[in-house]
Amino acid sequence: MKKLLHDWAFRNLTIFGKITVVKTLALPILVQCLSVLPDPKSKQFEEIQKIIFNFIWDGKIDKIRRNIMISDKHKGGLKVPHILSFAKSLKLTWVKKCLDPQCKSSWKILIADKLEKWGYSNIWQLRREGLSTAMQVFNNFWQSVMQAWSEIMQHPTTAPSEILRQPLWHNNEILINKQRVCKSHWIKKGIFFINDLINDNGSFLSLENFQDKFNVHTNFLTYNGLISAIPKHWKELIKNVPREEISDCNIEKLRKAQKVSKLFYPIFLSSVAETPVNVKHKWEERMSIDIVENEWEQYFMIPHNVTMNTKLISFQFQILHRILCTNSRLFIFKILDTEMCSFCHETKESISHLFYGCLHARNIWITIQEKLKNLCNIDVCFN
Ligand SMILES: [Zn+2]
């Protein structure tokens, strides 16, 4: 990657061109490694990310924070690939393969006995804490897969169906003597979710019905002990709710997804991506106006929507992020010995002076205003 990007570094590309090079040429180098190997250490991820940003900023200090650059365009970023999120989303392809009965690859045999202990596909429905217990018997590669999967899990809200699909096992909310519960021989009989203990009328199965249904031998104390361990407020929420087909929204999404990594990348990204709060505040302060969030989204998108010219987009991007080098900036960096405007020499050359306040800029705006009025009959007042 370093060599490839080094070769491209001399082509005087815009920031967009560089990001395109990263996405289309550099990233594919990593895809295979990140798909089939355990995740590298976080330090190595940082190293890869650094190579990318070094290329984007020509080996100089970053002008915009990395967590902003990885964001979506409407959030003020440029969608620079975030390698850690990328690696995690690639790993989830394996969960899809695990869940897909059509996939009969021979690697499945290698993990079959480990999965059996957790009811095969049910392992993907364990909660975060359960999964981190389960993953201990798997190798580093599968641990990376499970780690990624556990990070996108959502813990239940108040929807009854979400309570019903709570796993009984290794669940921090279902404790007996302050310990999480796990009964391997019950799992083998297909008992895994709260849903499995519910009958069609929405109440818990009686001991007899439970034993008949699953063909397990247990006693009143064990069975009722488990039911009493289920939190009271959950029981209230599922009162009279009949058993249903278990469906986990992430698993459903995964099954339907054409491209798993594309689907989950934004979810991983959302925990790290940021919007440029400081710059927004600065604009609002300088212009003495309040700008609401969705207005900002519009402003960030305007350059992308109105032109295909990457130089222009790039220019406007620099203005929006206030990284355009005006004289007042160059003066602060001691590159120039004056901070005054290059055109009128009278006022400090800030972005708003240079492009709006300066007499020379005003004349351009007035001319445009007149032309629009006279030639197109459009009345605009630039402000
Ligand atoms: Zn001026």
Side-chain angles (χ1 to χ4, degrees):
M1 261 179 81
K2 258 186 189 163
K3 189 185 174 312
L4 176 112
L5 294 178
H6 178 80
D7 292 347
W8 280 89
F10 302 100
R11 305 224 182 168
N12 198 22
L13 297 171
T14 61
I15 200 161
F16 293 90
K18 286 179 190 159
I19 294 169
T20 308
V21 169
V22 169
K23 281 187 181 163
T24 54
L25 301 173
L27 219 51
I29 299 174
L30 295 174
V31 171
Q32 179 69 1
C33 302
L34 293 176
S35 304
V36 302
L37 294 175
D39 280 347
K41 295 204 170 71
S42 56
K43 240 195 145 125
Q44 287 162 307
F45 275 122
E46 280 166 29
E47 183 63 27
I48 300 168
Q49 200 70 62
K50 202 172 142 191
I51 294 170
I52 292 172
F53 278 106
N54 267 343
F55 172 67
I56 290 173
W57 299 116
D58 298 322
K60 296 177 193 144
I61 302 171
D62 293 20
K63 290 190 179 122
I64 297 168
R65 293 192 32 212
R66 292 180 183 181
N67 289 3
I68 295 169
M69 290 294 282
I70 58 175
S71 302
D72 262 336
K73 288 174 182 167
H74 66 279
K75 294 281 181 197
L78 283 181
K79 292 178 95 170
V80 175
H82 181 244
I83 303 301
L84 184 61
S85 301
F86 183 63
K88 284 178 188 165
S89 55
L90 279 174
K91 287 287 185 307
L92 295 187
T93 316
W94 294 94
V95 181
K96 186 184 163 95
K97 286 179 188 164
C98 264
L99 288 165
D100 182 4
Q102 303 297 325
C103 169
K104 302 218 188 310
S105 303
S106 41
W107 56 263
K108 280 195 164 177
I109 301 164
L110 295 172
I111 52 166
D113 62 324
K114 294 187 176 105
L115 287 177
E116 191 197 0
K117 266 177 74 181
W118 298 99
Y120 295 100
S121 62
N122 284 343
I123 193 168
W124 306 109
Q125 305 222 37
L126 283 171
R127 278 162 62 112
R128 221 168 269 169
E129 62 268 19
L131 209 56
S132 63
T133 307
M135 71 168 77
Q136 284 165 17
V137 297
F138 287 84
N139 65 20
N140 288 351
F141 168 77
W142 283 103
Q143 285 184 4
S144 298
V145 175
M146 290 172 170
Q147 181 59 38
W149 181 249
S150 76
E151 283 175 33
I152 55 157
M153 271 177 188
Q154 281 145 6
H155 286 278
T157 56
T158 48
S161 58
E162 288 190 2
I163 306 290
L164 287 177
R165 68 175 169 77
Q166 279 293 302
L168 294 160
W169 318 119
H170 278 288
N171 186 329
N172 274 351
E173 305 289 329
I174 303 177
L175 304 175
I176 296 178
N177 296 331
K178 295 184 184 165
Q179 300 279 320
R180 299 192 310 221
V181 197
C182 185
K183 288 185 188 302
S184 304
H185 59 289
W186 286 24
I187 294 177
K188 279 186 188 161
K189 300 273 184 184
I191 306 155
F192 203 86
F193 304 99
I194 292 180
N195 191 52
D196 296 327
L197 307 183
I198 305 287
N199 65 21
D200 294 335
N201 302 324
S203 47
F204 283 98
L205 292 167
S206 66
L207 178 65
E208 290 77 27
N209 289 346
F210 174 75
Q211 297 194 114
D212 284 350
K213 186 173 175 188
F214 293 103
N215 190 25
V216 280
H217 296 287
T218 183
N219 57 47
F220 181 79
L221 272 179
T222 315
Y223 181 62
N224 272 54
L226 181 64
I227 292 176
S228 1
I230 297 168
K232 265 200 186 115
H233 62 280
W234 282 5
K235 283 184 203 151
E236 280 301 313
L237 288 165
I238 56 169
K239 211 172 188 178
N240 303 326
V241 180
R243 60 172 281 114
E244 52 183 61
E245 280 302 310
I246 293 284
S247 82
D248 176 271
C249 62
N250 279 334
I251 290 180
E252 290 306 311
K253 274 192 224 157
L254 192 73
R255 282 205 170 110
K256 284 181 201 145
Q258 295 282 342
K259 201 142 195 245
V260 174
S261 55
K262 253 195 183 151
L263 174 73
F264 289 103
Y265 177 76
I267 300 176
F268 289 116
L269 193 73
S270 64
S271 63
V272 274
E274 287 172 26
T275 177
V277 183
N278 291 344
V279 151
K280 289 178 181 174
H281 282 162
K282 205 150 202 180
W283 276 118
E284 289 178 35
E285 188 193 298
R286 289 290 159 90
M287 322 268 291
S288 312
I289 46 171
D290 285 325
I291 302 173
V292 293
E293 190 52 42
N294 56 10
E295 243 179 292
W296 270 118
E297 294 188 359
Q298 269 181 41
Y299 297 152
F300 285 127
M301 284 314 288
I302 286 172
H304 301 283
N305 291 339
V306 299
T307 179
M308 301 273 279
N309 183 325
T310 52
K311 290 226 160 84
L312 272 180
I313 301 173
S314 185
F315 188 64
Q316 180 69 12
F317 184 78
Q318 291 177 58
I319 293 176
L320 281 169
H321 284 269
R322 308 186 64 91
I323 56 167
L324 194 80
C325 273
T326 55
N327 287 354
S328 60
R329 248 174 105 85
L330 294 172
F331 179 70
I332 295 167
F333 298 147
K334 300 198 169 115
I335 295 170
L336 279 188
D337 45 18
T338 174
E339 56 175 350
M340 291 301 167
C341 170
S342 307
F343 299 94
C344 68
H345 311 285
E346 281 169 6
T347 314
K348 201 172 126 184
E349 190 186 277
S350 62
I351 291 177
S352 50
H353 173 79
L354 188 58
F355 296 106
Y356 187 74
C358 183
L359 192 69
H360 298 262
R362 296 286 311 146
N363 280 338
I364 297 172
W365 291 120
I366 289 166
T367 312
I368 296 173
Q369 204 168 305
E370 281 169 357
K371 293 242 156 149
L372 281 171
K373 174 82 186 135
N374 298 338
L375 302 176
C376 316
N377 204 20
I378 299 171
D379 230 345
V380 200
C381 179
F382 295 116
N383 59 30

